[in-house]
Amino acid sequence: MSVCIINLRGISKSFGIRQLFTGISLGVGERERIGLIGPNGSGKSTLLKIMAGMIGSDAGERTLRQGARLTYVAQQDLFEAGDTVAGVLNRAVAEAFGRSEAEKGGRAAVVLGRLGFLDPDVLVESLSGGWRKRLSIARALVSEPDVLLLDEPTNHLDLRSILWLERFLGSAPFAFVVVSHDRFFLENVANRTVELSPVYPDGVLAVDGPYSALLEAREAFLANQGALERSLANKARREIEWLRRGPKARGTKAKARIDAAGTLMQNLAATRERNRATARAGIDFSGTGRQTKRLVVAENLSRGFDGRTLFSGLDIVLSPGVRLGLVGPNGSGKSTLLRALAGEEKPDAGRVTTAAGVSLVTFDQKREQLDKEQILRHAFAPDADSVIYRGQPVHVVTWAKRFALRPEQLDLPVGLLSGGEQARVLIARLMLRQADVLFLDEPTNDLDIPTLEMLEESLTEFPGAVVLITHDRSLIDRVSTVLLGLDGAGGSEVYADYAQWEEDFLARERAEAREAKTQAKAKPKAEAPSKKLSFKEQREYDTIEATILAAETAVEAAKLALEDPAIATDGHELARRLEVFQAAEAEVERLYMRWGELSAKLA
């Protein structure tokens, strides 16, 4: 690893009596791309904030290389009321470089162009969640950071925005640390993966490589850990038998063996405790066992919203074993279609029929089914100490433990639980209801990776039908037997798997981008009085098309240089050419924006 930009040594942190982590050491080198994972409550976000210098640690040391810049992008994108895109970035430039630099607008314009913002005067409150996340990242980038720290950047983003973020980070000239539960995302962007977990003796496992490399290292560690526990248990059994014979501690050797036996017992207890820390939420949905082949049937289904057709002429049959994944950009009508199939919303045309006595269970992404004032115990069992699962009583303490919820949380209001814990509560309550069809709208929000894996296993084994909406590509790819892609303009298409949909989606996105660029180039010059432009601006406007053409030629040249196989193994030269390519792209974006500004004055 290269010289560290940020270095954490022996970092410990607790909240009240709860210890998050102890003695964590982690460094971030030049252009490292670190994925930080761990179970809910392991302290990932806290460690990221310690790394950012936002909060202190209880013990240990944080050092930052002299002159290094780092920026932090929080889970929640917070902006001031009435903010415009340009206003957010100019304020960030002023904070980083001073007011005079902000007034020039150059840094802000380059970053805006690089991240695809065409209208710098648009109000932030009008942006979608994906574009707000882009703006948060843009705000962080204007300071030209050496390290970017991102906390759950893919949360609540649609697939279009996640794919954009992957491409952006994949070509980033800076180092970054990203906390995420999105396994596809981690696989595609990280070249080093770090897991926080009490299962590891040092509290952390770090491997060079993407998420899949960590899976291999974890499997090897757990196998060794299990063998270690068995070995220690065998040694402990022999030592206990020896101790029971009542040896006297007068001899030096006997005393040393008695001391060693005590240490052995401590090591065994610690190993067992770490192995128990691998316990995951036990998710297992119950089916009714109904043999009906046509549980839900939709015929010629159509629905519009705000004058726009979301989907039209859909025919869908949900049978036992069918797991339908719905994919498409935000606003394409996925949730509307799910609610129509579940009978919660009427379509504009067509009809939905269900088999007699069919049991439908719905998971609502808005979490509105939970009473935040109700204590957890009563959320599970309002009038008893037990729940009924598959016809058998299960005590609420045992039920809570099954979902990685601690017994002491049972008397807390549900609203005090974390987002991931609230999601597990909802899933736990759904499991108490036998179902023929499960309708799941974003069940993965706030869930950690172990819980996601358990959810996958449960859904693939569920005997009924499933309709699933999720931005977790790993989950939808592994669970779905068929994908239905919606484009939000009335179009729909069936896909065999996620990779097929993504390939088609990206091809359409590239075609749309080419069409938009062609239209921009073909836009005629406005005939307007020259008094609307200064002499200097008019000269700039008269030559800007030629300037853009030259800049696009420079982009193509930089791209060819970057793809030269001769420099594939030369990291320094590769990085230099990447910076040249990105700068050329940013210049093209800036010129198009400037063209738009000048044209607006002539309009």
Side-chain angles (χ1 to χ4, degrees):
M1 188 177 72
S2 58
V3 178
C4 288
I5 303 172
I6 308 172
N7 199 14
L8 305 181
R9 288 190 293 271
I11 297 294
S12 300
K13 186 67 176 179
S14 62
F15 285 112
I17 62 173
R18 185 183 176 198
Q19 189 75 34
L20 285 179
F21 42 76
T22 304
I24 296 291
S25 295
L26 179 65
V28 183
E30 290 278 358
R31 290 187 172 85
E32 271 203 305
R33 301 170 179 181
I34 298 177
L36 181 60
I37 68 173
N40 285 339
S42 60
K44 303 181 297 297
S45 295
T46 300
L47 186 64
L48 202 69
K49 288 178 181 178
I50 291 173
M51 197 176 290
M54 299 171 64
I55 61 174
S57 61
D58 299 335
E61 182 183 17
R62 167 192 178 269
T63 56
L64 181 65
R65 192 180 68 191
Q66 186 174 8
R69 293 180 182 271
L70 60 88
T71 51
Y72 171 85
V73 178
Q75 287 189 37
Q76 301 297 324
D77 306 309
L78 301 177
F79 302 98
E80 295 181 9
D83 258 341
T84 64
V85 167
V88 169
L89 260 64
N90 284 329
R91 191 160 57 247
V93 171
E95 291 173 0
F97 300 103
R99 177 60 56 189
S100 60
E101 186 67 22
E103 289 171 353
K104 295 177 183 177
R107 292 179 186 272
V110 169
V111 172
L112 286 174
R114 186 175 168 192
L115 270 67
F117 286 92
L118 299 179
D119 183 1
D121 297 321
V122 68
L123 288 173
V124 175
E125 58 202 45
S126 69
L127 298 177
S128 67
W131 281 98
R132 287 171 69 92
K133 181 60 67 178
R134 284 200 198 198
L135 185 56
S136 289
I137 294 172
R139 179 169 57 187
L141 291 181
V142 294
S143 65
E144 300 176 0
D146 298 289
V147 182
L148 182 64
L149 307 174
L150 302 108
D151 193 359
E152 294 285 4
T154 64
N155 265 9
H156 311 291
L157 295 187
D158 65 359
L159 291 171
R160 181 197 299 270
S161 299
I162 293 173
L163 292 172
W164 169 82
L165 184 58
E166 274 185 7
R167 295 195 299 268
F168 175 75
L169 292 178
S171 61
F174 46 78
F176 62 79
V177 182
V178 56
V179 173
S180 180
H181 297 310
D182 187 324
R183 291 157 289 175
F184 267 34
F185 181 75
L186 291 166
E187 184 70 17
N188 292 335
V189 304
N191 61 20
R192 188 170 173 227
T193 310
V194 178
E195 181 175 28
L196 295 183
S197 175
V199 71
Y200 306 119
D202 296 329
V204 64
L205 176 65
V207 298
D208 291 330
Y211 176 68
S212 57
L214 184 123
L215 290 181
E216 294 175 1
R218 182 204 290 161
E219 184 177 356
F221 171 84
L222 293 178
N224 291 336
Q225 192 84 339
L228 175 62
E229 181 178 345
R230 291 190 294 272
S231 174
L232 291 173
N234 289 333
K235 289 181 181 179
R237 190 161 46 249
R238 291 194 298 269
E239 293 304 296
I240 289 171
E241 291 173 356
W242 177 75
L243 288 168
R244 283 174 178 167
R245 293 199 294 268
K248 303 298 183 182
R250 290 190 294 269
T252 302
K253 289 184 178 180
K255 183 178 180 181
R257 185 169 178 179
I258 291 171
D259 292 340
T263 302
L264 175 63
M265 299 303 178
Q266 293 175 356
N267 290 340
L268 175 59
T271 302
R272 281 177 172 164
E273 183 64 27
R274 287 196 299 272
N275 286 347
R276 279 197 294 271
T278 62
R280 302 184 296 179
I283 299 173
D284 186 10
F285 293 105
S286 299
T288 64
R290 177 188 291 271
Q291 299 301 310
T292 307
K293 290 185 177 180
R294 296 164 69 88
L295 299 172
V296 177
V297 178
E299 300 173 279
N300 198 32
L301 218 58
S302 299
R303 185 73 165 88
F305 177 76
D306 198 21
R308 178 167 59 94
T309 300
L310 295 177
F311 48 83
S312 178
L314 286 181
D315 295 319
I316 297 171
V317 177
L318 300 178
S319 304
V322 170
R323 298 187 294 272
L324 174 65
L326 301 180
V327 292
N330 280 354
S332 59
K334 301 185 298 294
S335 294
T336 301
L337 176 57
L338 182 143
R339 289 193 297 270
L341 293 172
E344 297 175 358
E345 187 170 317
K346 290 186 177 181
D348 296 336
R351 64 174 183 168
V352 177
T353 56
T354 58
V358 71
S359 176
L360 310 178
V361 172
T362 302
F363 183 102
D364 182 6
Q365 64 169 317
K366 296 180 181 179
R367 309 286 196 261
E368 292 174 350
Q369 297 158 319
L370 287 176
D371 180 354
K372 301 300 178 65
E373 302 299 322
Q374 188 178 40
I375 66 171
L376 178 57
R377 181 186 305 276
H378 293 160
F380 286 145
D383 304 311
D385 288 332
S386 299
V387 299
I388 304 300
Y389 178 61
R390 294 186 173 179
Q392 300 295 323
V394 179
H395 197 275
V396 289
V397 173
T398 304
W399 192 245
K401 287 181 178 178
R402 178 169 183 162
F403 295 91
L405 296 165
R406 302 186 302 279
E408 60 267 25
Q409 291 178 299
L410 285 169
D411 295 314
L412 292 177
V414 171
L416 293 182
L417 302 179
S418 69
E421 288 167 338
Q422 290 184 31
R424 294 203 296 271
V425 171
L426 277 177
I427 292 172
R429 298 206 313 186
L430 291 181
M431 279 177 50
L432 298 175
R433 298 169 56 189
Q434 288 192 322
D436 295 304
V437 186
L438 292 173
F439 294 97
L440 305 175
D441 192 352
E442 293 295 351
T444 62
N445 285 347
D446 305 310
L447 295 185
D448 58 17
I449 290 176
T451 308
L452 287 170
E453 291 169 346
M454 289 298 296
L455 181 61
E456 280 178 6
E457 293 172 14
S458 178
L459 291 177
T460 54
E461 295 171 2
F462 178 66
V466 176
V467 179
L468 174 65
I469 300 173
T470 178
H471 295 146
D472 189 299
R473 292 163 293 172
S474 178
L475 181 74
I476 204 163
D477 192 49
R478 296 180 185 183
V479 168
S480 301
T481 57
V482 62
L483 287 182
L484 178 63
L486 303 179
D487 63 9
S492 60
E493 192 166 343
V494 174
Y495 298 90
D497 55 25
Y498 172 78
Q500 188 183 47
W501 175 83
E502 182 179 303
E503 182 179 358
D504 186 45
F505 174 79
L506 292 176
R508 283 187 281 110
E509 191 176 59
R510 287 192 293 269
E512 290 172 3
R514 285 195 297 270
E515 178 65 21
K517 184 175 286 189
T518 300
Q519 291 179 357
K521 289 181 178 180
K523 185 177 180 180
K525 292 183 181 181
E527 294 295 332
S530 59
K531 65 180 181 180
K532 290 191 176 182
L533 294 178
S534 68
F535 176 75
K536 184 177 179 181
E537 287 174 333
Q538 187 65 52
R539 287 185 58 188
E540 182 183 7
Y541 185 76
D542 291 340
T543 60
I544 198 165
E545 288 185 65
T547 306
I548 289 175
L549 180 61
E552 289 182 331
T553 302
V555 167
E556 292 302 318
K559 184 179 180 182
L560 289 174
L562 181 62
E563 294 172 349
D564 185 357
I567 57 104
T569 57
D570 187 340
H572 179 75
E573 180 62 18
L574 195 62
R576 188 190 69 79
R577 295 191 186 188
L578 176 61
E579 289 182 358
V580 171
F581 173 68
Q582 290 178 331
E585 277 196 322
E587 176 63 10
V588 169
E589 296 291 350
R590 186 194 68 79
L591 287 169
Y592 271 115
M593 287 179 61
R594 181 58 176 163
W595 190 10
E597 291 172 1
L598 295 173
S599 297
K601 288 187 176 183
L602 292 171

